[in-house]
Amino acid sequence: MQTKIKILKINVARSGIVAKTGKPWEMQDAECILMNDDGSIGSVGVLQLPKTLMGVNAPKQGDYTASFALNAGIDRKINAVLTALTPVAAAASK
């Protein structure tokens, strides 16, 4: 599944230790706009970045085609998970 997004801001990475298990965790997310097919704003929200796109590998502000896959989480709920970001050329994003 693919959709166009505009990344407005990359939030600071957060980390901690799970109280029950003692295992470390870390996460980073981005403030984004989901774009409709006609280029209008669909909705605004927070997108969790996969570990491969965290820290120094975090994307910059701009327009992207985002690819997603479905995945069952710890709570067994099925969610879309970001798998790749492809920058959209500046001329094509207008």
Side-chain angles (χ1 to χ4, degrees):
M1 171 173 72
Q2 291 187 331
T3 190
K4 290 193 173 149
I5 65 168
K6 180 181 289 287
I7 295 179
L8 302 174
K9 178 183 179 235
I10 302 296
N11 293 323
V12 176
R14 302 177 305 281
S15 62
I17 303 292
V18 177
K20 287 185 175 183
T21 65
K23 292 182 179 181
W25 61 269
E26 62 180 342
M27 66 186 310
Q28 188 171 20
D29 47 40
E31 306 288 334
C32 298
I33 297 173
L34 295 175
M35 308 302 290
N36 293 323
D37 289 339
D38 65 1
S40 63
I41 295 173
S43 59
V44 178
V46 178
L47 177 63
Q48 186 172 333
L49 299 174
K51 290 192 184 299
T52 57
L53 293 176
M54 288 176 51
V56 296
N57 295 324
K60 308 291 185 228
Q61 289 179 335
D63 296 336
Y64 294 86
T65 298
S67 298
F68 294 90
L70 296 177
N71 188 25
I74 295 171
D75 59 1
R76 298 183 49 232
K77 291 183 180 177
I78 295 179
N79 298 300
V81 179
L82 180 67
T83 56
L85 285 175
T86 304
V88 175
S93 66
K94 291 183 180 182

